[in-house]
Amino acid sequence: MTNEEFEKLLMIAKLSKKTFSDLVGLNYHSVGNWKQSNKIPIWVKSWLNLYIENKFSRELKELIKKSGLCQ
């Protein structure tokens, strides 16, 4: 995963690097250093994809609940 891909997934997830680092339990500066080292851990892409999918599912579930289509 490139830093560009990482930044794009963060944007889609609506997460800042600080929030991401807090959620995964990493030091913010470590996450910030990924750009310089160009070594983003392999798990980050799958973690962000699952986060995005889960967020979308929760939002969709809430919309369905509010619409009254599903009780």
Side-chain angles (χ1 to χ4, degrees):
M1 166 184 257
T2 65
N3 189 66
E4 186 176 289
E5 291 173 301
F6 176 56
E7 298 277 348
K8 183 178 179 181
L9 285 174
L10 284 176
M11 185 179 70
I12 293 168
K14 297 181 183 172
L15 292 174
S16 66
K17 285 183 182 177
K18 174 66 175 138
T19 303
F20 171 78
S21 63
D22 290 343
L23 286 171
V24 298
L26 292 174
N27 183 293
Y28 171 74
H29 297 291
S30 296
V31 174
N33 288 337
W34 291 348
K35 185 175 184 175
Q36 289 81 8
S37 69
N38 204 27
K39 292 186 179 180
I40 298 172
I42 195 165
W43 60 266
V44 173
K45 186 175 186 176
S46 61
W47 191 95
L48 281 168
N49 283 326
L50 287 171
Y51 179 89
I52 292 163
E53 183 178 336
N54 186 38
K55 184 177 179 179
F56 174 77
S57 295
R58 285 181 303 194
E59 290 170 355
L60 182 59
K61 185 178 178 180
E62 189 62 31
L63 283 172
I64 292 170
K65 186 177 177 182
K66 285 180 181 179
S67 74
L69 293 174
C70 185
Q71 298 293 330

